[in-house]
Structures are given as structure tokens and as C-alpha cells.
Amino acid sequence: MIKFFRSIRQRLLSENKFSKYLIYAIGEIILVVIGILIALSVNNWNEGKKDLSRCITLLENLVEEIKQDSIYLNHVYHTEKTLFLHSAELLFQAHANPDTVIENDSIMGMAFRFACFTPVIHFSDNAYKELIMSDLLSLLDSNTLKGNLNEYYAQIKFLNMYSEQNQQISNDLISQLANYYSVMPSQNKESRLISNFSGAAEESFSTTYNLAAFRADRSLNPKLYDMMDIHKDRLGGMEIIQNLGSSIREQISNIKATH
């Protein structure tokens, strides 16, 4: 092909047809430019296809991370609601109302020990960080998904920051409650089971408490009330995170279906 164009140029020059040669040269330049543009377009299309494929892969990884977050959050949510919040409520009622009937000493003992627990919310954001740093998220047309992703991780960070800010309240209350109960471990080492983070292995301990002295300390009333509020706020935050996670997973599933 190159020899063909060269022979045409030489023939036009030898025939002293400069104007025709000039038109030919311009046409040849245009063809070269068109060829370069086509090659660039093909290359850009291939790169865009690779970027989209990588973006989809990262979205799949992100879904898996959110699934693992959800499993952990479900466990923390259930434990906080049924054990930690319930313990704080039980202590508040027992403290505020002298007529409160204590039906089970072991449950009351657990309440003293678990009322102030506010575990950190662990999460994974490796895929999300890579999507942001590589700017692959810009390939997606869904502003709703982008907004939900930003809100999802912002809510988790806010929840942990909220818990950290209230940690002093929890620590102070733990120290104050320690004046009114004591825990005695079982002498039988074989009975000490590994805890499953929800009050397991209670048969390995016995808790004694001084309810009269506990009720006499009136400064505990607002602190126990605040502790209940902290648990409720955390539960509400976890519900928001779980709902956002479900929406994100559904939106990513729809995006994958269209690609």
C-alpha cells in the first residue's frame, strides 16, 4: 500500500502536475488522520470495555463485602437489642421503681455486666476505595447508587464516631455500677465455655449484687436513661445501614443485568 501511494506521488511529480500532487498530498494526509482517529477510537473502546469490566468486578467484590457487613451487623443488632439494651432497661426499671420484681438473679446479674456494652461496628470498604481511587465509579450512570454508597460508609463511620463520643458515659457508668455487683467465676474449669458475644457461658459465672445500695445511688437514674438512649440510637443507625446495604445490592444486581 505504501509503495502504491509512493508511485502515485512520483508519477505526479515527474509529470510536473504540482496542483494535482498537492490535492493528492492533502487527501493522503486526511486518510492518515482518519486512520489515526479510527485507531484511537478502537483503542479507547477497548480501554473503556476493560474499565467497565473491572468496574463490574469491583462492584461484585463490594456486594460480597456488604454481605459480610450485613451478617456481622445482624449479629450485633440482635445482641444489642436483646441483651445490651434489655440490660440497661432492666437496670433502669429496677433502679427507678422499688417495686420492680426481680424474677431471676442470673438475669439481673447479666444486666449489671452487659448494660454498657457498645461494640465497634466493623466493616470492609476495600472495593469501594478502589472504585473511588481509580475513578471507575464515574462510569456508572446511577447517581442513586453513588449516593447510597457514599451514605452507607458515611453512616457506619458516623455510628462508630457517635459511639466513641459516648464512650466516656459508658465507662463512667461501668465504673459506678461496679460498686454494686461482683462476679465469681466457676471453680470447675471444664465448664468455662467460649462466649459467643451474646451472654454465653453464663453457667461459668455467678453474680451477686446489692440492690438496696444500687437504688440508693440516685445519680444513676439519668446515666442509665442516657445509656438506653445510646443503645436505641445505635440500633436506629444499624437499621439505616442495613437498609442502605440492601438497596445497594439490589441496584448493583440491576446494573450487572444490563451489562
Side-chain angles (χ1 to χ4, degrees):
M1 183 63 72
I2 294 175
K3 290 182 179 180
F4 173 73
F5 285 125
R6 185 181 299 157
S7 65
I8 293 177
R9 287 199 305 270
Q10 291 174 346
R11 181 168 57 81
L12 290 173
L13 287 172
S14 64
E15 294 176 0
N16 201 23
K17 296 179 179 179
F18 182 76
S19 60
K20 290 185 177 180
Y21 171 78
L22 184 60
I23 293 172
Y24 165 79
I26 294 172
E28 188 174 332
I29 291 172
I30 292 173
L31 286 174
V32 171
V33 170
I34 291 173
I36 292 173
L37 291 175
I38 291 174
L40 287 173
S41 297
V42 171
N43 182 66
N44 289 339
W45 182 82
N46 286 333
E47 290 300 320
K49 191 174 181 181
K50 289 179 182 178
D51 286 344
L52 183 59
S53 176
R54 184 183 171 203
C55 180
I56 295 299
T57 298
L58 286 173
L59 287 176
E60 291 173 346
N61 294 342
L62 188 145
V63 166
E64 187 58 34
E65 288 180 352
I66 290 179
K67 283 181 180 178
Q68 296 305 313
D69 290 347
S70 179
I71 293 171
Y72 174 77
L73 276 172
N74 278 334
H75 186 55
V76 175
Y77 182 91
H78 174 76
T79 305
E80 184 135 17
K81 186 175 183 178
T82 60
L83 182 58
F84 304 153
L85 173 60
H86 179 68
S87 294
E89 290 175 333
L90 181 58
L91 287 186
F92 179 79
Q93 291 298 327
H95 183 270
N97 184 4
D99 296 326
T100 300
V101 177
I102 309 301
E103 297 181 356
N104 190 313
D105 279 346
S106 64
I107 292 177
M108 193 64 188
M110 283 179 59
F112 274 101
R113 290 165 51 206
F114 292 111
C116 303
F117 274 38
T118 52
V120 173
I121 305 301
H122 296 288
F123 66 102
S124 299
D125 61 353
N126 296 324
Y128 181 64
K129 284 180 178 178
E130 191 169 347
L131 282 167
I132 295 296
M133 293 177 64
S134 62
D135 199 33
L136 291 175
L137 206 58
S138 62
L139 298 176
L140 303 178
D141 295 329
S142 176
N143 290 325
T144 302
L145 174 58
K146 295 175 187 177
N148 282 344
L149 283 170
N150 183 63
E151 183 69 12
Y152 176 82
Y153 293 104
Q155 283 289 342
I156 295 177
K157 291 176 181 178
F158 173 79
L159 183 57
N160 279 332
M161 182 179 67
Y162 171 83
S163 301
E164 185 177 345
Q165 288 175 343
N166 288 285
Q167 192 61 50
Q168 191 59 50
I169 295 175
S170 302
N171 290 341
D172 289 346
L173 188 54
I174 289 172
S175 297
Q176 197 167 355
L177 289 176
N179 295 317
Y180 309 112
Y181 78 98
S182 58
V183 180
M184 299 299 295
S186 170
Q187 296 301 314
N188 181 6
K189 295 182 180 180
E190 294 182 358
S191 69
R192 297 184 187 180
L193 305 177
I194 296 175
S195 173
N196 69 355
F197 184 56
S198 59
E202 287 308 303
E203 64 274 14
S204 302
F205 302 90
S206 61
T207 305
T208 60
Y209 53 89
N210 187 337
L211 202 55
F214 166 70
R215 285 171 171 161
D217 187 349
R218 302 314 300 167
S219 67
L220 284 170
N221 178 273
K223 295 177 183 179
L224 289 169
Y225 189 85
D226 287 343
M227 197 68 241
M228 289 191 299
D229 267 355
I230 291 171
H231 287 307
K232 290 175 182 177
D233 288 342
R234 282 169 51 87
L235 290 170
M238 282 185 268
E239 288 179 1
I240 292 173
I241 293 167
Q242 288 286 54
N243 289 335
L244 284 168
S246 296
S247 296
I248 289 168
R249 288 158 61 182
E250 182 179 351
Q251 289 160 4
I252 291 177
S253 178
N254 293 336
I255 288 174
K256 288 175 57 181
T258 60
H259 291 83

